[in-house]
Amino acid sequence: MLALVYLSFTSYDGLNPPVFVGLQNWQTLAGDQIFLDSLRLSGMLTLLSWLLQTAVALPLGVYLAGKERTRAVLAAIFFVPQLMSGAAIAVLWGTLFDPNFGLASVLGPLVGVPDGNFIGNPSLAFYVVLFVISWQFMPFHTLLYQGATRAIPESLYEAATLDGAGRWRQFRSITVPQLRATIITSGVLIVVGSLTYFEIVLILTNGGPGTATRILPLHMYVEGFRSFQMGYSAALAVVLLVIGTALSLVITRVTGYRQMASQREGL
């Protein structure tokens, strides 16, 4: 990280020795409209990924925590995407979203996209990326919630049932509060992960159409390995490092994660 910070103050093409240029890269960054757009897209991807993955993974993890054999089978099947590499997933969904012979060519006209070109549509490409990334990582967070739910004492639910609480009331008043630490942990992982997503976007859309999906990590890659502006690319990496660290610290402080203690004493 120290070397990265140093390189952000240099002019470096990856071949010749870096030359110190002071704040030149940072001045360029402040006036780079593509950087500002990529920062906005990364922010949207982080927020929407957290909302989508949490909204699906939490209730699904609670459901799969049941002891029925069918739920165990579903959990094993649902975890398959987590075993695949990001490159394989990008190729898979790239084929499915192909407007000529993929599934998108059939579904497109049914959902208001006559040409079936979801990836080539500037208004839809970002949401395709959001869907594919969520599809890949949602099983992992589901597994977190499944394991945490199984650790909740059965006596709490038994007492709630005797008091006449239904399933929804038990979920809202027992399950969610008991999963607080897991929700925060999952949230931090999603936030940090969303800021570093790269290979799926590179292979699936290559940042296009135009710059519609050019998130900050991809912009860093383009500047460093295509334009050979390694110094400027290092400045972009420092921005990612600072934002990721700051968000993680804010989440743990605001939620009181550090002060959390076990809620199972005496049970």
Side-chain angles (χ1 to χ4, degrees), residues 43-54 126-127 130 134 190 194:
M44 289 178 56
L45 183 64
T46 299
L47 176 61
L48 295 178
S49 291
W50 177 76
L51 290 174
L52 179 59
Q53 293 185 49
T54 302
F126 174 81
Y127 298 100
L130 171 66
S134 298
I190 292 174
S194 299

Side-chain angles (χ1 to χ4, degrees), residues 96-99 103-129 205 208-209 213:
L96 292 174
F97 278 110
D98 189 286
L103 188 62
S105 62
V106 178
L107 297 180
L110 300 179
V111 295
V113 185
D115 59 358
N117 195 359
F118 291 86
I119 296 178
N121 189 321
S123 301
L124 299 176
F126 174 81
Y127 298 100
V128 171
V129 170
T205 66
T213 58

Side-chain angles (χ1 to χ4, degrees), residues 119 125-126 201 205-214 218:
I119 296 178
F126 174 81
V201 182
T205 66
N206 198 26
T211 57
T213 58
R214 190 163 170 173
L218 183 60

Side-chain angles (χ1 to χ4, degrees), residues 21 155 232:
V21 293
S155 58
Y232 183 59

Side-chain angles (χ1 to χ4, degrees), residues 154-166 169-170 174:
E154 289 288 339
S155 58
L156 297 178
Y157 295 103
E158 294 171 357
T161 301
L162 293 176
D163 289 340
R169 182 60 186 272
Q170 291 180 23
I174 298 176

Side-chain angles (χ1 to χ4, degrees), residues 13-99:
D13 59 7
L15 298 175
N16 298 304
V19 178
F20 187 79
V21 293
L23 297 175
Q24 180 178 318
N25 290 324
W26 295 96
Q27 292 171 348
T28 302
L29 185 145
D32 185 357
Q33 185 58 47
I34 297 180
F35 160 71
L36 297 176
D37 291 340
S38 65
L39 184 61
R40 176 182 58 83
L41 287 175
S42 290
M44 289 178 56
L45 183 64
T46 299
L47 176 61
L48 295 178
S49 291
W50 177 76
L51 290 174
L52 179 59
Q53 293 185 49
T54 302
V56 176
L58 197 161
L60 188 59
V62 172
Y63 172 77
L64 294 178
K67 298 180 180 179
E68 294 87 346
R69 181 173 299 178
T70 54
R71 301 193 189 192
V73 173
L74 287 175
I77 296 174
F78 189 71
F79 194 70
V80 169
Q82 189 64 40
L83 304 178
M84 301 172 63
S85 69
I89 289 175
V91 172
L92 168 66
W93 283 102
T95 303
L96 292 174
F97 278 110
D98 189 286

